[in-house]
Amino acid sequence: MHATRKPHPPERAKLVRDGFTMPEADYALIAQLKHRLHAAHREAKKSELLRAGLQALALLNAKDLAAALDRLAPVKTGRPPKKTEES
């Protein structure tokens, strides 16, 4: 009798770590969304909320996507300068 082979498990998606800056008000939206989900008996991680937002944006046409971005307040990008010992 031949042993049956187990099917190969699906490949895991490669994960990427990234860091970014956002206004406090936008960061507070994460807590508000998590609270709303808690009321619906669904927990979510920050990364899940951000990924869901990206998936929702991906469904928009270019004009609506541009309009959504135009509604955002500009944010100064980059890291703050490192403090030196003389400062």
Side-chain angles (χ1 to χ4, degrees), residues 82-87:
K82 291 186 178 184
K83 292 184 179 181
T84 61
E85 291 182 29
E86 296 174 11
S87 298

Side-chain angles (χ1 to χ4, degrees), residues 10-86:
E11 283 193 40
R12 289 180 145 183
K14 186 175 180 178
L15 303 178
V16 178
R17 288 192 59 83
D18 196 1
F20 50 89
T21 304
M22 69 174 64
E24 285 182 357
D26 289 343
Y27 191 78
L29 282 174
I30 294 171
Q32 290 176 16
L33 292 170
K34 288 175 85 169
H35 184 74
R36 285 174 52 190
L37 284 168
H38 183 72
H41 306 289
R42 170 65 160 90
E43 302 299 320
K45 298 175 185 174
K46 284 186 281 188
S47 63
E48 289 178 301
L49 290 171
L50 296 174
R51 290 174 53 218
L54 288 172
Q55 294 297 320
L57 289 171
L59 297 175
L60 298 177
N61 62 42
K63 184 178 178 182
D64 291 339
L65 177 58
L69 293 176
D70 289 342
R71 288 189 295 270
L72 295 175
V75 174
K76 184 177 179 182
T77 59
R79 295 182 180 263
K82 291 186 178 184
K83 292 184 179 181
T84 61
E85 291 182 29
E86 296 174 11

